[in-house]
Amino acid sequence: MGVLHVIFKKSVSRSMRLQALANVFCAVYMLTVTFIVTYVSFFHIVPGCYSTTAVFWHRLAIWYIFIGAIGNYITCIATKTGIKKIPTITDSTSLQNGGQKTASEVKESKTSKAHRNGRESAVPVSRRGRERFCLPCDMQVPVRSHHCYLCEECIVKRDHHCFFMGVCIGRENHIYFIYFTLFMGIGTFYGLLLLAKYLNYLYHIQFQGPQTFLVLFFNTLIGLFRGQLPTYRFMGLFVLLYVSLAAMMVAFGFFAWQMMIVLKGQTTFEAKFGITRYSKGGYFANFRQVFNTRSLVSLLLPLWDLATETNYCRIGSKFD
């Protein structure tokens, strides 16, 4: 991951190094909590609260949700989202520089020929024929591409940099990130229900609505101030309960946000600055820019894309 290189790189600012360290912390935290909740649910809660037949189906559901979340997490990280450095429009000057224009050359010449000898430029351009120039990368990049200083590269159709993954979310891994948030939301909600049932099974705590979470939290906190120390098992389940609650809200929040901007034909970066010119005019048309029938493979069979080296989130060859 690029963030690891930033951590140990000498010529980086303190704030950039701290952001890179935050990436590592968030990733370790997320993975640790996910594995702990899965382990406790799989080996302790389900066998203790359900019959033999129900145990099989609950464990099957836990296993599938876990594979869905971790599978899309790994696929999202493993999918390359950056733009490869390729030769720009070949002329006598750029050939002397290894087939690639430099920043100074681009500044000197604001316009260049898009075709030479009847062939298109080697630069990947958008459908509208527009392109941008990235000074840190010293190359021309497609429209909607943006440079990430943590990943140290330009990202095609960059949405945002995910601190829980340590990579940027762009055109090539956008679907995997959306599926990851969906599986994490479902998984943490399922874990929340199992933890509530286990607390009821062990300590007869009745969950009668959202207010129960507030009552349980403050009662436990007041008991600690009064010196009434609960058992280690109760405190462990108590922490996992509220961590799962927070994770569920964050995961479903990310999922809802991603679906909203997909329907609007935007990325997070574009939504931040109110850019709407890439919308296809309707919700369904915008939805089809990211999802299609092949995308169901990635949803139903996590890790399939990674195992078969395919990318069903790549709808076409256009960058916008």
Side-chain angles (χ1 to χ4, degrees), residues 171-236:
R171 174 179 174 271
E172 305 299 320
N173 62 355
H174 196 186
I175 282 182
Y176 306 128
F177 177 76
I178 294 175
Y179 287 162
F180 166 73
T181 59
L182 176 62
F183 275 107
M184 281 298 293
I186 295 173
T188 48
F189 177 70
Y190 190 24
L192 193 68
L193 295 178
L194 291 176
L195 286 164
K197 186 175 182 63
Y198 201 44
L199 286 169
N200 175 260
Y201 174 77
L202 293 175
Y203 305 104
H204 307 290
I205 299 174
Q206 296 290 334
F207 285 83
Q208 299 175 346
Q211 68 276 7
T212 305
F213 290 96
L214 293 175
V215 174
L216 177 62
F217 179 82
F218 286 108
N219 285 345
T220 304
L221 194 63
I222 292 171
L224 289 173
F225 280 118
R226 291 179 176 176
Q228 300 172 358
L229 300 179
T231 62
Y232 287 115
R233 181 166 65 174
F234 175 84
M235 283 305 301

Side-chain angles (χ1 to χ4, degrees), residues 157 171-172 175 285-295 311-318:
K157 197 180 176 183
R171 174 179 174 271
E172 305 299 320
I175 282 182
N286 290 329
F287 181 83
R288 291 285 293 175
Q289 287 297 306
V290 180
F291 297 93
N292 66 358
T293 53
R294 295 177 300 174
S295 305
N311 189 341
Y312 288 111
C313 74
R314 185 184 296 122
I315 304 303
S317 60
K318 301 170 184 175

Side-chain angles (χ1 to χ4, degrees), residues 94-131:
S94 61
L95 286 174
Q96 294 175 2
N97 296 319
Q100 195 165 1
K101 285 184 180 293
T102 62
S104 59
E105 292 167 352
V106 172
K107 289 179 180 178
E108 292 174 1
S109 176
K110 294 184 179 180
T111 60
S112 60
K113 295 181 180 179
H115 302 273
R116 176 173 293 272
N117 298 329
R119 293 176 297 175
E120 290 187 0
S121 164
V123 181
V125 296
S126 71
R127 180 167 56 88
R128 298 177 180 86
R130 289 175 297 178
E131 58 193 32

Side-chain angles (χ1 to χ4, degrees), residues 32-201:
T32 301
V33 171
T34 300
F35 277 98
I36 291 176
V37 172
T38 303
Y39 176 84
V40 172
S41 300
F42 198 89
F43 291 104
H44 295 277
I45 298 178
V46 171
C49 298
Y50 296 97
S51 61
T52 304
T53 305
V55 165
F56 170 78
W57 292 109
H58 277 287
R59 282 183 166 177
L60 183 63
I62 292 171
W63 182 246
Y64 179 74
I65 295 171
F66 176 77
I67 294 298
I70 297 301
N72 282 288
Y73 181 89
I74 295 173
T75 306
C76 202
I77 294 176
T79 302
K80 301 297 183 182
T81 59
I83 303 171
K84 294 181 179 179
K85 285 193 174 184
I86 59 177
T88 60
I89 301 168
T90 54
D91 55 19
S92 58
T93 306
S94 61
L95 286 174
Q96 294 175 2
N97 296 319
Q100 195 165 1
K101 285 184 180 293
T102 62
S104 59
E105 292 167 352
V106 172
K107 289 179 180 178
E108 292 174 1
S109 176
K110 294 184 179 180
T111 60
S112 60
K113 295 181 180 179
H115 302 273
R116 176 173 293 272
N117 298 329
R119 293 176 297 175
E120 290 187 0
S121 164
V123 181
V125 296
S126 71
R127 180 167 56 88
R128 298 177 180 86
R130 289 175 297 178
E131 58 193 32
R132 303 169 62 247
F133 192 88
C134 178
L135 290 177
C137 293
D138 193 27
M139 67 176 182
Q140 288 168 299
V141 295
V143 68
R144 304 185 81 178
S145 302
H146 300 282
H147 189 84
C148 177
Y149 288 92
L150 284 172
C151 296
E152 298 186 310
E153 60 182 352
C154 272
I155 310 300
V156 180
K157 197 180 176 183
R158 183 177 184 268
D159 187 84
H160 71 284
H161 183 92
C162 180
F163 276 71
F164 290 102
M165 295 182 177
V167 298
C168 269
I169 307 304
R171 174 179 174 271
E172 305 299 320
N173 62 355
H174 196 186
I175 282 182
Y176 306 128
F177 177 76
I178 294 175
Y179 287 162
F180 166 73
T181 59
L182 176 62
F183 275 107
M184 281 298 293
I186 295 173
T188 48
F189 177 70
Y190 190 24
L192 193 68
L193 295 178
L194 291 176
L195 286 164
K197 186 175 182 63
Y198 201 44
L199 286 169
N200 175 260
Y201 174 77

